[in-house]
């Protein structure tokens, strides 16, 4: 049963690259569409807020659908959206192109994660989702930086065009190779899934995801701009820096998968603490090759780990409805991404790029304190499978 997980991981690469590729393209998009960097950053906010607003409801509804058809449909939708983005004449059409895939991302990611856990069993949820998460890490390792390099060589529109072709190709591969039996066997009713929100502990877990991702994307949204303007790198060098940032994420993905199976909240606090160190050290070491590499390395490892840790943490907190719990994490994470992009833009306007790391670190510190509080709370049974 390893093949379905590999296929879903490959599809996840395309899905997550579609969301995050814009991080490396923001400077080029802003110049071409004649908007400011903070205005272009709102494209990140639009995508994230759409996921946050509609993700849980769409996931709860589409959980009843046959997985193979659903996953293929989502990838086709991503292919169409990236095609529109490649030809967008202005920021408004670009916004529409970002809105479309934002509706499909939470459905795919939550149900793909649930499918992976079904295959291996809940005791190994972290490692199963780590395999799915490998596609996400590859999106960071290859998708975002290669997109930046393609943009520098051929223009940012080419990056979206190539991503569209990849999405259509992945849809074809799923059509050929993904078994029709990839369907969760114990469905929970639409209404019952929402009962997990009666738990204060679940609300706390969602809030924790919001804080973690708000802090993360307050700085990460503008990392390419930091490297261009503060470090003085050109587009090609920025692409390679992002490649290194993502490459060390492979380590974080592995460490996160093991740590979260032992204790989700402790894992979250540990990686957040190291992320604070990396973020705060980045700008002071911006002109030191060794210092910059160390700061970005620590940040890259912890960021990849927290993607996985946050996801599994919510699924383990609500084993009665893991896909819906995963969608809540995706919603919370994307709400955080959107808030972080907005806050980062405000920080740039008020304090400049050099203030981003400190603002982000303050939010991450708040998430550590919340995780400590959640460890004192006890879970309770709040859902009956129907």
């Amino acid at each position: 049963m390893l093949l379905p997980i590999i296929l879903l991981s490959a599809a996840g690469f395309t899905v997550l690259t579609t969301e995050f590729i814009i991080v490396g393209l923001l400077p080029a998009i802003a110049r071409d569409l004649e908007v400011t960097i903070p205005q272009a950053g709102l494209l990140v906010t639009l995508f994230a807020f759409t996921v946050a607003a509609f993700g849980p409801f769409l996931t709860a509804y589409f959980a009843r659908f046959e997985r193979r058809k659903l996953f293929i449909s989502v990838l086709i939708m991503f292919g169409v959206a990236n095609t529109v983005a490649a030809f967008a004449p202005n920021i408004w059409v670009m916004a529409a192109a970002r809105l479309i895939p934002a509706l499909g991302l939470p459905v795919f990611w939550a149900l793909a994660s649930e499918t992976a856990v079904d295959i291996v069993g809940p005791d190994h949820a972290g490692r199963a989702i780590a395999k799915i998460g490998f596609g996400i890490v590859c999106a960071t390792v290859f998708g975002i930086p290669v997109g930046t390099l393609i943009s520098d060589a051929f223009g940012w529109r080419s990056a979206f065009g190539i991503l569209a072709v990849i999405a259509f190709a992945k849809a074809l591969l799923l059509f050929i190779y993904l078994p029709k039996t990839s369907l969760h066997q114990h469905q929970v009713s639409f209404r019952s899934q929402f009962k997990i929100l009666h738990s204060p502990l679940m609300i706390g877990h969602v809030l924790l995801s919001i804080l973690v991702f708000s802090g993360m994307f307050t700085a990460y949204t503008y990392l390419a701009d930091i490297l261009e303007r503060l470090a003085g790198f050109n587009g090609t060098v920025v692409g390679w820096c992002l490649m290194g940032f993502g490459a060390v994420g492979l380590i974080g993905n592995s460490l996160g998968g093991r740590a979260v199976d032992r204790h989700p909240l402790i894992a979250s606090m540990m990686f957040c603490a190291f992320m604070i160190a990396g973020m705060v050290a980045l700008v002071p070491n911006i002109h030191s090759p060794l210092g910059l590499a160390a700061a970005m390395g620590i940040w890259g490892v912890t960021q990849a780990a927290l993607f996985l840790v946050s996801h599994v943490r919510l699924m383990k907190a609500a084993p009665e409805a893991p896909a819906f719990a995963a969608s809540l994490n995706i919603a919370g994470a994307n709400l955080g991404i959107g808030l972080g992009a907005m806050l980062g833009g405000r920080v740039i306007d008020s304090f400049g790029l050099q203030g981003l790391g400190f603002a982000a670190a303050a939010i991450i510190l708040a998430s550590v304190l919340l995780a400590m509080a959640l460890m004192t709370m006890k879970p309770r049974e709040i859902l009956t499978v129907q």
Side-chain angles (χ1 to χ4, degrees):
M1 296 299 292
L2 182 61
L3 179 59
I5 295 181
I6 293 175
L7 290 172
L8 292 175
S9 178
F13 167 87
T14 305
V15 169
L16 269 295
T17 297
T18 295
E19 178 172 14
F20 296 130
I21 191 173
I22 198 167
V23 169
L25 307 182
L26 275 183
I29 292 174
R31 287 191 294 268
D32 190 40
L33 300 184
E34 298 180 346
V35 296
T36 66
I37 287 289
Q39 287 172 335
L42 291 176
L43 293 171
V44 178
T45 299
L46 172 67
F47 194 109
F49 280 1
T50 302
V51 172
F54 296 100
F57 301 98
L58 291 173
T59 300
Y61 178 76
F62 284 105
R64 71 191 72 183
F65 285 72
E66 199 272 316
R67 297 291 189 265
R68 179 169 174 266
K69 293 180 180 178
L70 184 63
F71 294 153
I72 291 170
S73 298
V74 168
L75 281 170
I76 290 174
M77 182 170 66
F78 271 69
V80 171
N82 285 318
T83 301
V84 173
F87 292 97
N90 54 55
I91 194 68
W92 302 107
V93 175
M94 190 66 185
R98 300 296 293 167
L99 179 66
I100 297 170
L103 298 172
L105 181 143
V107 175
F108 178 90
W109 178 221
L111 296 180
S113 301
E114 182 192 62
T115 301
V117 175
D118 283 347
I119 293 172
V120 304
D123 291 340
H124 301 287
R127 296 182 188 185
I129 297 175
K131 290 183 174 66
I132 298 292
F134 183 76
I136 297 174
V137 177
C138 285
T140 305
V141 174
F142 300 111
I144 296 173
V146 169
T148 305
L149 293 172
I150 291 173
S151 172
D152 188 58
F154 306 106
W156 63 268
R157 297 180 187 277
S158 298
F160 281 107
I162 293 172
L163 192 55
V165 172
I166 293 173
F168 289 128
K170 296 288 178 60
L172 180 60
L173 288 174
L174 290 180
F175 176 77
I176 296 172
Y177 294 110
L178 189 66
K180 292 183 179 180
T181 53
S182 295
L183 177 66
H184 191 55
Q185 299 300 318
H186 305 288
Q187 292 298 323
V188 181
S189 71
F190 186 89
R191 180 178 298 178
S192 292
Q193 293 181 70
F194 282 87
K195 288 183 180 179
I196 66 175
L197 292 174
H198 294 174
S199 166
L201 181 59
M202 279 300 300
I203 298 298
H205 274 287
V206 175
L207 180 58
L208 179 56
S209 290
I210 294 173
L211 283 175
V212 167
F213 282 84
S214 291
M216 192 186 298
F217 278 81
T218 292
Y220 182 64
T221 302
Y222 304 99
L223 180 56
D225 203 37
I226 290 173
L227 295 173
E228 278 196 13
R229 290 205 279 164
L230 296 188
F233 297 156
N234 61 33
T236 300
V237 176
V238 169
W240 285 112
C241 286
L242 293 176
M243 184 83 76
F245 183 94
V248 297
L250 293 171
I251 301 172
N253 188 61
S254 177
L255 293 175
R258 295 178 181 277
V260 74
D261 277 336
R262 294 189 181 96
H263 199 297
L265 286 171
I266 290 178
S268 183
M269 289 188 292
M270 176 183 68
F271 289 116
C272 280
F274 280 101
M275 176 175 279
I276 289 172
M279 286 179 163
V280 170
L282 183 70
V283 172
N285 290 279
I286 199 74
H287 295 299
S288 167
L290 184 59
L292 179 61
M296 288 188 67
I298 293 170
W299 185 359
V301 168
T302 54
Q303 179 156 304
L306 284 167
F307 266 94
L308 176 64
V309 168
S310 298
H311 201 67
V312 179
R313 174 171 51 78
L314 264 292
M315 295 181 74
K316 284 181 174 289
E320 310 92 335
F324 184 67
S327 75
L328 291 175
N329 174 66
I330 294 166
N334 277 273
L335 178 58
I337 290 170
L339 291 172
M342 292 177 63
L343 178 60
R346 291 294 184 90
V347 171
I348 292 172
D349 289 338
S350 301
F351 304 102
L353 286 167
Q354 59 270 23
L356 287 175
F358 295 97
I363 301 172
I364 297 294
L365 178 60
S367 74
V368 173
L369 298 177
L370 176 57
M372 293 173 64
L374 292 177
M375 289 182 65
T376 67
M377 300 176 65
K378 294 183 179 180
R380 57 175 178 164
E381 296 294 330
I382 44 88
L383 183 95
T384 301
V385 176
Q386 297 180 358

